[in-house]
Amino acid sequence: MKIVVIGGTGLIGSKLVAKLGEHGHEAVAAAPSNGVNTLTGEGLAEALAGAQVVVDVSNSPSFERAAVLNFFEISTRNLLAAEAAAGVGHHVAVSVVGTERMPENGTSRRRSLRRR
């Protein structure tokens, strides 16, 4: 099964890609460093071609509240549209446990964005 990991070169993503590969999946690490940018849409169509699953472990390049919100709104919108166009059947978003205890952190808003 082809599984694309958005943020697949980062701390969590790289471990996930390795683990998926160990289990026999075609795991693709997708990140700006290898030409896949969810903010601009660059490389998304190519990366998602033939994928059955997308796992999003991406992270905002900024921790400033408005910038984080902007990143996840645009990134998620672009990613979901590209997934629909590619016929991807499953979207998994990895979130951080305990963010409700840090309401000032913009990353905690990610969870509510995924439900839209």
Side-chain angles (χ1 to χ4, degrees):
M1 175 182 301
K2 181 177 178 182
I3 303 172
V4 177
V5 180
I6 303 297
T9 61
L11 178 65
I12 303 297
S14 60
K15 291 177 182 181
L16 179 58
V17 167
K19 194 57 90 175
L20 289 168
E22 289 172 13
H23 287 275
H25 298 290
E26 178 188 352
V28 176
S33 62
N34 60 17
V36 181
N37 188 322
T38 57
L39 280 176
T40 65
E42 175 188 5
L44 276 177
E46 296 82 6
L48 299 182
Q52 288 81 32
V53 178
V54 169
V55 180
D56 184 0
V57 297
S58 64
N59 208 351
S60 172
S62 169
F63 292 113
E64 191 271 318
R65 186 179 180 113
V68 169
L69 181 59
N70 186 58
F71 171 81
F72 285 117
E73 282 181 339
I74 294 170
S75 176
T76 300
R77 190 177 306 118
N78 289 342
L79 186 53
L80 292 175
E83 289 173 12
V88 174
H90 302 280
H91 175 97
V92 178
V94 176
S95 187
V96 178
V97 174
T99 58
E100 71 278 357
R101 291 177 280 171
M102 301 177 359
E104 69 286 347
N105 184 330
T107 302
S108 63
R109 302 229 347 132
R110 178 181 193 179
R111 185 175 175 188
S112 64
L113 291 174
R114 300 287 184 190
R115 293 183 180 164
R116 289 184 187 170

